[in-house]
Structures are given as C-alpha cells and as structure tokens.
C-alpha cells in the first residue's frame, strides 16, 4: 500500500511539473513575434521516409482555404491527420500507436506527424536528422498552434507541400495536373492529388500511375471510413479515367 501511494504521489508530481512546463512554454511562445507563414521564402520538403526531396524558394500560388475544393480538404485530412481539428498540434494517440507498431515491426516505418508538425518541418527545419531538429520541429508546431487557427494552418500546409514533379502548393498542382483551379477539383482528381505528398517521387501519376492509383484507393477508403463519402462515391471516383496535362500554363 505504501509503495502504491508513492507511485501515485510521483505521478501527481510529474503531472504537476509537466503542466507548469507547458504553461511556461505557452507564455514564452505568446511573448514572441508571430510567425509569418505567408512570407517564408526557404522551403524544405520531406517525404514520408524523412528524405529531403526539395529545398529552395519555389514559386507557389497562395490561395485561401475557401478557394480549395472540399474534396481535397477532406481527402487530405482523412489521409494525413484525421484528428487535425481535435488535437493541439500533437496527436498523442497516434504517437503511441506508431511507437507500438514500430516496436512490433522492429522498424521506424510508421510515422506520427500531424499536419501542423509537417508544416513546421517543411517551413522551418534544416537538413539534419537529429534530436535537435525534432525538438525544433516540435517547438515551431507548438508556436503555430498558438499563433494561428486550424484553418490558417491547413491553408498554409496546402499552399506549401510538394505535389511531385517540382510542383509546390495545391493551386499550382491543380493547374499542373488538370489545368483547373483547386476550387474546381472533382473527387477523383482531389483524391489523386491528396495521395501524392506522402511520397511525391513515387505517387505522382506522371511518374508511376500504378502506384498512384493504389495510393488513391487508400485515400478514398480513408474518406469512406471518415464519413466524408459513400462507397458508391469511392468506386465511381476510383474508376474515373483522368486526363493529365503535366504542365503549368
């Protein structure tokens, strides 16, 4: 009984210290200048294996989230971060799940980055695969959640991620692949584009159509599981033949 009480006391003290730490970080973060995500020049893009696929300035057409197809938004959230609107920038359930899977598989194949973390990594991290870089990513993700609303974070994410073939941002990608604005994307087109960022060098339909279609099926299935579309919508979108332009006019 005495040992059990010591455990409870230790857990309480640890929780108290962590809470004080978070509060301290919060007040420190709000004292800093607001991060200007609309004017970040240098962009570093990583794929799902944490390999750098792009670093530079990039020409990106920034558009409002209201100008982006709901299909693309739903497809992105369903695939990349289902609890995006319900977590503080870190999905602790997803982190715990990825740790369990990685330990079970004896690998580091399962990632746990939220959309906020991915944005922080793409905009502010350096090339080094170190704990320092991971802590920097976490710090900027924390600050982004304080400085911006969820919609603003999602808007920045969609305007800066890599859609393959050197194309950055959803508006550029929409014109590059389908010669139309992001607001006009169909479910079939949106689900194809939403699947690319996880591994742009593999999932671009202009690089490997077979892999791109498999990834599209994963995206559509996630949307069904999330209640965004029906199975009939999924099958119809998957079986739609898409015509690709492959250039920005």
């Amino acid at each position: 009984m005495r040992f059990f009480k010591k455990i409870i006391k230790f857990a309480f003290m640890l929780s108290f210290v962590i809470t004080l730490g978070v509060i301290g970080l919060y007040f420190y973060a709000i004292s800093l200048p607001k991060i200007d995500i609309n004017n970040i020049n240098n962009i570093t893009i990583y794929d799902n294996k944490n390999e750098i696929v792009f670093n530079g300035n990039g020409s990106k057409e920034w558009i409002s989230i209201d100008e982006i197809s709901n299909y693309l938004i739903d497809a992105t959230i369903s695939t990349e971060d289902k609890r995006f609107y319900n977590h503080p920038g870190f999905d602790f359930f997803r982190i715990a799940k990825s740790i369990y899977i990685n330990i079970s598989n004896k690998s580091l194949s399962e990632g746990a980055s939220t959309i906020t973390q991915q944005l922080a990594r793409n905009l502010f991290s350096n090339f080094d695969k170190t704990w320092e870089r991971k802590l920097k990513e976490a710090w900027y993700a924390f600050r982004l959640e304080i400085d911006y609303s969820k919609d603003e974070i999602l808007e920045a994410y969609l305007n800066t991620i890599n859609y393959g073939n050197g194309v950055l941002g959803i508006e550029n990608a929409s014109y590059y692949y389908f010669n139309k604005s992001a607001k006009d994307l169909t479910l079939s087109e949106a689900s194809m584009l939403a699947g690319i960022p996880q591994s742009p060098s593999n999932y671009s339909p202009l690089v490997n159509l077979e892999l791109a279609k498999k990834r599209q099926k994963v995206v559509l299935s996630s949307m069904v599981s999330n209640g965004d579309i029906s199975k009939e919508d999924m099958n119809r979108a998957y079986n739609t033949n898409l015509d690709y332009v492959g250039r920005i006019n």
Side-chain angles (χ1 to χ4, degrees), residues 50 128-139:
N50 215 27
D128 301 329
K129 298 178 183 179
T130 62
W131 281 107
E132 181 182 355
R133 201 260 310 157
K134 291 180 182 295
L135 289 172
K136 184 178 180 181
E137 174 188 320
W139 171 240

Side-chain angles (χ1 to χ4, degrees), residues 1-156:
M1 180 64 71
R2 184 176 299 176
F3 177 75
F4 181 73
K5 287 183 178 180
K6 287 183 178 180
I7 293 295
I8 296 296
K9 184 178 180 180
F10 174 78
F12 175 77
M13 291 300 296
L14 182 61
S15 298
F16 180 71
V17 170
I18 292 174
T19 300
L20 282 181
V22 172
I23 292 174
L25 285 174
Y26 173 80
F27 281 105
Y28 174 63
I30 63 176
S31 71
L32 298 173
K34 185 177 181 180
I35 295 174
D36 187 358
I37 57 178
N38 292 309
N39 291 305
I40 297 297
N41 291 322
N42 193 58
I43 301 173
T44 303
I45 304 297
Y46 297 80
D47 63 17
N48 67 320
K49 294 181 180 179
N50 215 27
E51 297 290 336
I52 294 171
V53 295
F54 178 86
N55 182 66
N57 291 328
S59 174
K60 56 184 184 295
E61 181 73 20
W62 193 289
I63 59 173
S64 165
I65 195 169
D66 295 328
E67 300 174 276
I68 301 173
S69 163
N70 285 331
Y71 287 135
L72 190 282
I73 292 172
D74 291 341
T76 300
I77 292 175
S78 292
T79 308
E80 297 294 332
D81 190 357
K82 291 182 180 180
R83 283 173 285 277
F84 173 68
Y85 282 101
N86 299 311
H87 62 63
F90 306 92
D91 191 338
F92 297 104
F93 173 81
R94 190 174 175 184
I95 291 172
K97 180 182 177 182
S98 70
I99 291 174
Y100 172 77
I101 292 174
N102 287 333
I103 291 176
S104 299
N105 295 336
K106 297 180 180 180
S107 71
L108 295 175
S109 58
E110 185 74 11
S113 294
T114 63
I115 283 174
T116 310
Q117 288 174 276
Q118 291 181 54
L119 176 62
R121 180 176 65 220
N122 288 344
L123 295 181
F124 305 110
S125 291
N126 56 30
F127 293 91
D128 301 329
K129 298 178 183 179
T130 62
W131 281 107
E132 181 182 355
R133 201 260 310 157
K134 291 180 182 295
L135 289 172
K136 184 178 180 181
E137 174 188 320
W139 171 240
Y140 277 114
F142 183 71
R143 288 184 61 188
L144 284 170
E145 288 282 344
I146 291 173
D147 288 344
Y148 292 95
S149 69
K150 288 289 188 178
D151 283 348
E152 288 172 324
I153 291 171
L154 182 60
E155 178 181 302

Side-chain angles (χ1 to χ4, degrees), residues 192-210:
M192 178 60 75
L193 291 183
I196 297 174
Q198 187 186 73
S199 183
S201 60
N202 293 314
Y203 293 137
S204 166
L206 300 182
V207 174
N208 191 321
L209 184 57
E210 183 179 356

